[in-house]
Amino acid sequence: KRYLAHPSAGESYQRRPVLVCRARAFLARGQTAEAVADVEEALSGGSESNTDAQTQAWILTVAARSLRAAGRAAEAEELLQGALEAAYDPLVFDLPLEVVELGRDAEFLARMGEHGGHLWDEAHRAAVTGELTRASEIYGTIGARFAEAWAALLAAEGGDTSRLDAALAYFEEQQATPYAQRCRALLQASA
């Protein structure tokens, strides 16, 4: 918030990534309107946002997730397609988990190609090939707690609840209400 309030922030290269980072946090907490406002501002940065290979996949992925959460599926789909066509970046953890949510694992796997050798690559490949518990464990090894919990939630939705309690604890700690609610629903259904 302080960075975005700085007088020179409007001209900074980092403005869009900061907005998207904040949008990701808003989205996790169920603050969809705020997330959409941030991604709309990030996307309004002009053609530069479409050509910056370092941030393109990340910005488009978070924007797609935010707009989908707001019920703007057609716009979200266009942005997601752009993210899938952007240069592969293993640090964009949202994209493989989002495509798993949407049942579009094969698209990400084709995009990922033969990339490997990095724990992020290994975690992403595990997620999109249906090894979500393993993906959760790898994300945990990396220290990517949100990705770890999200993959554990997806694994639980597929039947493996072995990491669900830890995912719920993390989501509650972070006030990630939509994710915590999904965990609680699974726990209730299995009780």
Side-chain angles (χ1 to χ4, degrees):
K1 185 175 179 178
R2 283 183 19 200
Y3 173 83
L4 294 170
H6 193 275
S8 64
E11 305 158 12
S12 172
Y13 165 82
Q14 292 298 324
R15 182 170 183 74
R16 281 187 292 270
V18 169
L19 285 165
V20 170
C21 186
R22 186 170 70 176
R24 184 188 267 169
F26 281 143
L27 189 60
R29 291 183 170 200
Q31 296 173 272
T32 305
E34 292 88 341
V36 168
D38 277 357
V39 297
E40 285 179 335
E41 186 175 340
L43 292 171
S44 72
S47 62
E48 183 184 340
S49 66
N50 295 327
T51 59
D52 183 358
Q54 291 183 330
T55 60
Q56 184 181 26
W58 183 47
I59 289 172
L60 294 176
T61 299
V62 176
R65 290 181 57 222
S66 298
L67 294 180
R68 191 174 310 282
R72 294 166 56 181
E75 293 168 274
E77 181 54 36
E78 185 177 325
L79 293 168
L80 181 64
Q81 196 57 46
L84 285 166
E85 293 169 2
Y88 172 75
D89 181 351
L91 298 180
V92 182
F93 75 83
D94 304 56
L95 187 54
L97 296 174
E98 179 71 2
V99 298
V100 168
E101 289 263 8
L102 299 172
R104 295 173 57 180
D105 317 7
E107 289 178 67
F108 182 83
L109 196 55
R111 174 186 183 271
M112 185 178 180
E114 296 300 318
H115 287 277
H118 196 281
L119 282 177
W120 287 104
D121 298 321
E122 189 178 333
H124 300 337
R125 191 173 308 282
V128 298
T129 58
E131 298 179 73
L132 289 156
T133 301
R134 183 168 172 267
S136 176
E137 292 165 352
I138 298 167
Y139 288 129
T141 298
I142 295 168
R145 292 185 65 209
F146 185 83
E148 174 187 11
W150 189 3
L153 170 59
L154 293 171
E157 289 174 338
D160 182 350
T161 59
S162 63
R163 298 177 63 86
L164 185 58
D165 289 331
L168 175 58
Y170 173 77
F171 291 137
E172 287 178 336
E173 171 190 316
Q174 297 302 311
Q175 300 172 8
T177 306
Y179 294 90
Q181 288 172 338
R182 286 168 61 185
C183 291
R184 282 191 215 98
L186 289 168
L187 288 169
Q188 274 187 313
S190 67

